[in-house]
Amino acid sequence: MYDIENYYNAENIKEAVTLLKEHPDARIISGGSDVLIKIREGKMAGTSLVCIRDIKEIKGVNLMESGDIYIGAGTTFSSITNDPVIKEHIPVLGEAVDQVGGPQVRNIGTIGGNVCNGAVSADSAPALFSLNAMLRIADGTGGRMVPIQDFYLGPGRVDLHQGDVLTHIVIPGKEYQGYQGHYIKYAMRNAMDIATLSCCAVSRIDREKMVLEDVRITFGVAAPVPCRCTETEQALKGMKVGEELYSKAEELVRQEIHPRDSWRASRDFRIQIGGEIAKRALMRSIELAGGAGK
């Protein structure tokens, strides 16, 4: 039994924004894989819902002439994983969201919901952070673009105001062209579990000199919000591809991340695992970019 006060179905973005402004206490629902669970548990009992599931404008993946990739917020995880644009240009994102829950959840859950939920364990977040994603938010007055790094405000808190609707996730061409990435999720089970710790490494190498030109390393569940290891990134740039690079990445990451103790894992364990999965993710991203893994 779901305790829902009112249910409104928006047919377009403008109507969704209007409904949210007319009903300040209403919450957006699309796939419902998070919202309905919270309602059933009583955490959001009696809430009103604005459904955006039928809005075609916010579904699908499009490669623009500029090279930017627009991902509709209402696109399901399964659709992202199987999309030809994602497979060709940013497969790391498809691989990351393919680790969300099970097939049923991936068939209804949306990337927009995953982002707006604000969970530090969200599988899409480390990849989107490492791709320097931008978020297109409609508000009825022209909207705004927000870097994903500025969107997460704290555990479960994001930069959405009354009447705001996340419509698209934008991956600028310059942020993925020439780069390869790899995502690793460490969890207590091999499937159907949230991350105990996760890491995404995206890198670009000079294949002639075998030098790491650029790297972005992002962790989930290593801080109150997804976190980029910017100090580690700067220290690694310009290094020769090889064991010294990977050992340094492992060492520096352990100094930079700040996970907490929880029933899933201790802080010390997460730090130890963090260095290892960062090294493996970086190594694999360089392999994919045409460099030697070891």
Side-chain angles (χ1 to χ4, degrees):
M1 187 71 175
Y2 294 98
D3 185 1
I4 298 170
E5 182 69 19
N6 292 294
Y7 181 89
Y8 308 97
N9 192 62
E11 295 184 359
N12 52 56
I13 296 170
K14 182 179 179 181
E15 185 177 0
V17 170
T18 300
L19 285 167
L20 288 169
K21 289 184 176 181
E22 290 177 350
H23 307 281
D25 296 329
R27 297 289 298 271
I28 289 178
I29 186 172
S30 185
S33 55
D34 286 319
V35 172
L36 291 179
I37 290 172
K38 291 178 181 177
I39 291 175
R40 192 179 184 106
E41 290 176 343
K43 296 176 182 177
M44 288 173 52
T47 193
S48 294
L49 300 176
V50 173
C51 181
I52 61 173
R53 182 183 56 196
D54 296 333
I55 301 178
K56 295 180 181 179
E57 305 162 76
I58 61 172
K59 292 185 178 182
V61 179
N62 290 290
L63 176 61
M64 316 303 285
E65 289 186 8
S66 63
D68 297 349
I69 296 174
Y70 274 65
I71 305 169
T75 310
T76 64
F77 300 122
S78 296
S79 296
I80 290 171
T81 299
N82 295 313
D83 188 273
V85 172
I86 299 293
K87 286 183 174 181
E88 180 178 355
H89 297 286
I90 46 174
V92 63
L93 180 59
E95 293 164 1
V97 300
D98 200 40
Q99 297 189 47
V100 176
Q104 298 92 336
V105 172
R106 294 193 292 272
N107 285 339
I108 63 167
T110 64
I111 192 166
N114 204 225
V115 170
C116 292
N117 197 33
V120 71
S121 59
D123 287 299
S124 66
L128 293 175
F129 268 65
S130 288
L131 290 166
N132 286 327
M134 300 290 293
L135 306 180
R136 181 76 176 90
I137 298 171
D139 58 8
T141 61
R144 67 189 196 278
M145 291 281 277
V146 180
I148 194 167
Q149 288 89 341
D150 298 335
F151 188 68
Y152 283 73
L153 305 178
R157 296 190 300 114
V158 295
D159 186 23
L160 283 177
H161 311 140
Q162 186 61 46
D164 282 357
V165 177
L166 172 64
T167 63
H168 293 87
I169 296 161
V170 182
I171 313 297
K174 64 184 178 66
E175 303 297 352
Y176 72 84
Q177 292 166 352
Y179 290 84
Q180 292 289 341
H182 187 57
Y183 173 72
I184 295 177
K185 173 180 180 176
Y186 180 88
M188 297 175 71
R189 298 194 303 264
N190 290 332
M192 299 287 289
D193 200 2
I194 65 172
T196 299
L197 193 71
S198 61
C199 178
C200 180
V202 170
S203 65
R204 185 185 70 214
I205 65 169
D206 183 326
R207 295 177 64 177
E208 290 186 4
K209 298 179 180 178
M210 278 296 122
V211 167
L212 181 64
E213 291 185 331
D214 193 20
V215 63
R216 305 161 194 160
I217 300 172
T218 308
F219 275 87
V221 207
V225 297
C227 63
R228 282 274 297 273
C229 293
T230 54
E231 293 179 10
T232 300
E233 293 170 2
Q234 289 301 318
L236 298 180
K237 290 178 185 178
M239 288 188 66
K240 284 278 190 180
V241 172
E243 189 54 43
E244 183 180 351
L245 168 65
Y246 304 127
S247 296
K248 188 168 185 178
E250 182 177 10
E251 174 190 352
L252 293 178
V253 158
R254 288 187 177 132
Q255 297 173 16
E256 192 167 358
I257 61 176
H258 300 285
R260 65 183 179 89
D261 288 312
S262 77
W263 66 270
R264 289 183 176 274
S266 69
R267 177 180 183 275
D268 289 343
F269 180 78
R270 282 191 168 104
I271 289 174
Q272 178 65 27
I273 290 296
E276 181 63 30
I277 64 174
K279 178 179 73 173
R280 294 186 186 187
L282 176 60
M283 185 181 299
R284 180 58 179 156
S285 73
I286 289 175
E287 288 176 352
L288 292 168
K294 296 183 179 179

